[in-house]
Amino acid sequence: MKNAINREIPNKIKYIGELEPFMGAWEKLKKGWMDEISVPPPNKAKLPHQKKICDTLKEAILKTNPQSGMTLTYHHHLRNGDDILVKAISILAELGIKDITLASSSLNESHDALLRYLEDGTITKIWSSGIRGELGKAISKGILKNPVVIHSHGGRVRAIHTGKIKPDLTIIPAASADEEGNATGAHGKSAFGSIGYARIDARYGKQVIVVTDNLVDYPCNPIGIRQDFVDYIVKVDSIGDPTKIASGTTRITKSPMDLRIAKLAADVIEHSGLFDEGFSFQVGAGGASLAVAKFIREKMKHKNIKGSFMLGGITSYCVEMLKEGLFKTLFDVQSFDAEVSYSLLNNKHHIEIPASLYANPFNCGCMTNKLDVVALGALEIDTDFNVNVITGSEGNIRGASGGHSDTASGAQLTVIVCPSFRGRIPIVTKKVHTVVTPGESVHVLVTERGICVNPKFPELEKRLNKAGIKTRKIEELEKEVDEIVGTAKPIKFTDKIVGLIEYRDGTIIDVIRQVAEC
Amino acid sequence: MKTKRRTMLYIPGNNPAMLQQGGIYGADSLLLDLEDAVALNEKDSARILVKNMLKSISYYNTEVCVRVNHLDTPFGIEDLETIVPLQPDAIRFPKTETVKELKKLIDIIEIIENKHNLPHNKMTIHAMIETALGVQNVFKIAKFSKRVDAITIGGQDLTADMNIANAKDGSGIDLARKMIVMAAKANNIDAIDTVFVDVNDEEGLRIETEYAKKIGFTGKAVINPRQIDIIHEVFTPTEAEIRRAFRIIKEFKKNKDAGIGVFAIDGKMVDAPVVARARHTLDLADIKY
């Protein structure tokens, strides 16, 4: 069947059941309640003063009585420095557990070693917001029998609430924890800041193990993960490599092109009609996206504007803006370096939030709904303004949906910042390989070769033109890019579906097909 | 003469990526360089690359200038034979020292243009002053031909030629700067200041640009796109300057209709030169009047 953006999707996937086609960015939410109900979280019991501490991760896993066919959920706050997920899966494999559904909030290069467990049938299904590195390549080539499901950060919470993801075992690495399981990411030698993505896992995990390399005296404060949801605690020497946990994406780029794009984007934001006292703002980490914050910071100082809040992935740059009084509050679902952890711990206006409050579409108003402006990157964007952030130019899975579609859906102004081409690869194209964020939720594209406003928003274009900002049609830009880089030979795919792209409301917006061997 | 030449961005002629992106940074002019930025063993490949880029890449509305090698080198003639038929907006001639060599350059250019049935009044010439002898002859160089519509100073080569240290305050080349500006002004053409080499020193760039503006330069060469905005800010009139210029023009028109040539605004005399300056201010700010 075809969905609302004319993408062909299957009616049914064996292990998931009937699929619901994407109907439009807000169509399913319009009536104000959802037909899907929340499944009840598990009830558990512990006797007074019963010990939760285990000597090893293996001991803790054994106590949870793992079974083949189970679902393991996990968070990705440790980013590329994660040491625990591969260890946990290798223990399960050693115990002979097969057919695991892995539902980690994201997967990256630190999880390359999981490849052998996909090959030997230990892991057979994956739900995640992103897949990078060797796993992405192998999945794209069809290593798994079942398609992976790519969801957004908000969509993941919805999927757990509605029982699509049923966590049998949840493992939560924490930078500090106490003997009852109260845990945080905000302090400790492996501090990673907010632990916001793991809060839903803790609530729904039938068995929950907290793993820490910094066991502190009771009570661990602040309480990111609550003891009443935690079954076992394990103290290990290290939960990961702190140098890779702090991602290094918090420095403002020196790339003249990224800076040029960011400056143009900041000009667009300034004249959008939203750049005013009390405005709210989100940017990604690294590249042109973070550099937008640099120019917005200068403009806010120049115009003496004070914002309301910054949201989402918080960088030390956001912390600086909070300290300067440019924004009143930081809402932090994911943080990027040590300085952010310090701020989260010590500044009462820097607030940790769970992923549900951040972006879950099935509630009475997540914070992305309150956003004025978001600046986001793209791997590809097409002439319908649909954005791909998951598959690369060779067709392989190599990116992350993350909060892209959540924030685009919520913000009053969604600005995509990206170069029009990279090397010889067109970024602005006629049709993206994979749609993650629908064009109807994208207002404007800013590239080094011009600014294109989505024709659905003519008032915005008029306003920008009136302010002296030149705009051009996206079709013209696509043509210019094609003339510069030349038309590439299309990638060959087989009929096999290796990935489903869930929109944040659970409908299917696109599929990823297996890349054919050359 | 172009109204605005606040920035002139150097792009090495042997760097495809930078050549490809030259038009996106908002510089007023681009300088595609076949001379000092290109190593001896890459002179031919750079020439071929620049030729093809000029043919195929849009630099939008940016002025495009090509710096050729000097005629005393083995590359100068071939550079001209390759580039002149493509008629970029301007040719920059390095190390201009005498009117004689400038004449030789223009003769060669015009022979090539004749061969290709091209006009002699489209592509202009920027004479670059980089030696003490060039500084001494700058007025004659600026005056020699209508095709010369900008004089530029090459600070690095000039300090080397003068055998002096390249002082951060520019004191060693200050006289040269002022002589070049004066020669340009006397001939009503542009004067473009030398590059500021420390790309990470934004404050230093701003101070040097403000000085260049104060002594009369119309623009400044740029070695990194990150320097463009600062230079544009300095050379773009402030809101107060624009408001005053606008008022002067408005009052001038009113008084002119009444047959009055000299009048006062806020107690200060306004005559023809003040009106000319006001017009220039509005031109720089892209304001129609």
Side-chain angles (χ1 to χ4, degrees), chain A residues 318-333:
Chain A
C318 307
V319 170
E320 285 301 311
M321 291 172 85
L322 177 71
K323 284 200 284 196
E324 288 171 349
L326 294 176
F327 285 93
K328 285 182 187 165
T329 307
L330 300 182
F331 289 122
D332 188 344
V333 70

Side-chain angles (χ1 to χ4, degrees), chain A residues 219-499:
Chain A
C220 174
N221 185 36
I223 298 174
I225 300 297
R226 282 162 41 181
Q227 68 179 57
D228 49 336
F229 301 139
V230 177
D231 295 86
Y232 303 106
I233 300 102
V234 182
K235 162 81 167 67
V236 293
D237 291 337
S238 166
I239 56 169
D241 178 351
T243 61
K244 291 180 183 167
I245 294 170
S247 62
T249 51
T250 57
R251 272 190 218 125
I252 296 294
T253 177
K254 287 192 172 173
S255 152
M257 178 144 66
D258 281 347
L259 287 169
R260 174 74 183 157
I261 295 168
K263 183 175 183 303
L264 291 173
D267 289 344
V268 166
I269 293 165
E270 181 184 6
H271 296 289
S272 64
L274 296 164
F275 187 63
D276 225 331
E277 193 71 14
F279 98 113
S280 55
F281 185 43
Q282 180 166 344
V283 284
S289 181
L290 180 62
V292 176
K294 165 187 153 68
F295 294 106
I296 287 295
R297 179 188 195 176
E298 287 167 10
K299 286 179 191 293
M300 290 178 81
K301 285 182 183 172
H302 183 67
K303 292 196 162 181
N304 197 24
I305 286 175
K306 301 273 183 284
S308 168
F309 66 90
M310 289 188 87
L311 178 63
I314 297 297
T315 63
S316 55
Y317 208 78
C318 307
V319 170
E320 285 301 311
M321 291 172 85
L322 177 71
K323 284 200 284 196
E324 288 171 349
L326 294 176
F327 285 93
K328 285 182 187 165
T329 307
L330 300 182
F331 289 122
D332 188 344
V333 70
Q334 173 180 212
S335 18
F336 284 95
D337 57 32
E339 198 179 330
V340 180
S341 294
Y342 181 84
S343 168
L344 185 64
L345 199 57
N346 294 291
N347 189 331
K348 66 178 179 179
H349 300 292
H350 185 160
I351 299 166
E352 177 173 312
I353 57 165
S356 181
L357 181 57
Y358 170 53
N360 178 12
F362 283 14
N363 61 27
C364 285
C366 53
M367 283 180 167
T368 51
N369 280 3
K370 183 78 180 148
L371 261 180
D372 288 326
V373 179
V374 65
L376 298 164
L379 289 174
E380 284 181 313
I381 179 165
D382 66 24
T383 48
D384 291 324
F385 289 84
N386 295 313
V387 179
N388 171 20
V389 280
I390 193 78
T391 48
S393 58
E394 73 291 52
N396 287 338
I397 300 171
R398 49 160 294 192
S401 165
H404 204 280
S405 63
D406 296 318
T407 50
S409 153
Q412 295 202 67
L413 176 70
T414 300
V415 184
I416 302 293
V417 286
C418 61
S420 58
F421 57 94
R422 293 185 178 99
R424 288 191 59 199
I425 309 297
I427 305 302
V428 182
T429 180
K430 277 199 178 80
K431 191 179 175 193
V432 293
H433 288 118
T434 315
V435 180
V436 172
T437 296
E440 64 183 306
S441 61
V442 172
H443 296 80
V444 57
L445 164 69
V446 179
T447 74
E448 81 289 3
R449 288 178 190 273
I451 296 164
C452 309
V453 178
N454 188 334
K456 288 180 194 303
F457 309 102
E459 288 304 314
L460 174 65
E461 185 153 28
K462 264 190 221 161
R463 189 183 271 275
L464 296 179
N465 294 159
K466 204 175 159 194
I469 296 173
K470 287 182 190 159
T471 54
R472 60 189 302 199
K473 286 188 174 152
I474 196 167
E475 291 82 4
E476 280 173 18
L477 177 61
E478 186 278 326
K479 196 166 165 255
E480 183 182 333
V481 170
D482 189 62
E483 278 166 8
I484 295 171
V485 301
T487 308
K489 261 199 315 196
I491 305 166
K492 286 187 180 155
F493 295 100
T494 71
D495 288 339
K496 181 177 173 178
I497 292 172
V498 296

Side-chain angles (χ1 to χ4, degrees), chain A residues 129-269:
Chain A
S129 76
I131 306 175
R132 294 190 161 98
E134 294 304 318
L135 291 182
K137 283 183 207 161
I139 290 164
S140 307
K141 288 188 170 62
I143 194 171
L144 289 179
K145 198 173 136 200
N146 304 296
V148 298
V149 181
I150 303 293
H151 49 60
S152 70
H153 288 324
R156 180 173 192 267
V157 183
R158 183 256 319 137
I160 294 175
H161 269 300
T162 55
K164 280 190 170 181
I165 298 172
K166 298 177 187 129
D168 295 303
L169 172 60
T170 289
I171 295 179
I172 302 176
S176 293
D178 63 34
E179 61 188 8
E180 288 302 317
N182 297 304
T184 180
H187 56 85
K189 67 176 182 179
S190 307
F192 52 80
S194 172
I195 200 165
Y197 291 135
R199 300 257 283 265
I200 186 71
D201 301 57
R203 185 73 191 91
Y204 273 86
K206 278 186 198 155
Q207 299 280 289
V208 177
I209 300 172
V210 165
V211 183
T212 187
D213 52 13
N214 187 39
L215 195 64
V216 297
D217 289 342
Y218 185 87
C220 174
N221 185 36
I223 298 174
I225 300 297
R226 282 162 41 181
Q227 68 179 57
D228 49 336
F229 301 139
V230 177
D231 295 86
Y232 303 106
I233 300 102
V234 182
K235 162 81 167 67
V236 293
D237 291 337
S238 166
I239 56 169
D241 178 351
T243 61
K244 291 180 183 167
I245 294 170
S247 62
T249 51
T250 57
R251 272 190 218 125
I252 296 294
T253 177
K254 287 192 172 173
S255 152
M257 178 144 66
D258 281 347
L259 287 169
R260 174 74 183 157
I261 295 168
K263 183 175 183 303
L264 291 173
D267 289 344
V268 166
I269 293 165

Side-chain angles (χ1 to χ4, degrees), chain A residues 89 92-93 97-101 116-118 120-124:
Chain A
I89 294 288
L92 288 164
I97 306 297
K98 293 280 180 193
D99 194 21
I100 294 170
T101 298
R116 57 181 283 211
Y117 303 113
L118 271 63
D120 72 7
T122 303
I123 297 168
T124 54

Side-chain angles (χ1 to χ4, degrees), chain B residues 44 47 74-83:
Chain B
D44 53 348
R47 190 185 304 122
F75 317 108
I77 297 280
E78 210 172 335
D79 286 350
L80 289 172
E81 282 173 345
T82 307
I83 302 300

Side-chain angles (χ1 to χ4, degrees), chain B residues 15-22 53:
Chain B
N15 187 321
M18 288 172 76
L19 284 166
Q20 186 175 258
Q21 305 292 14
M53 285 291 180

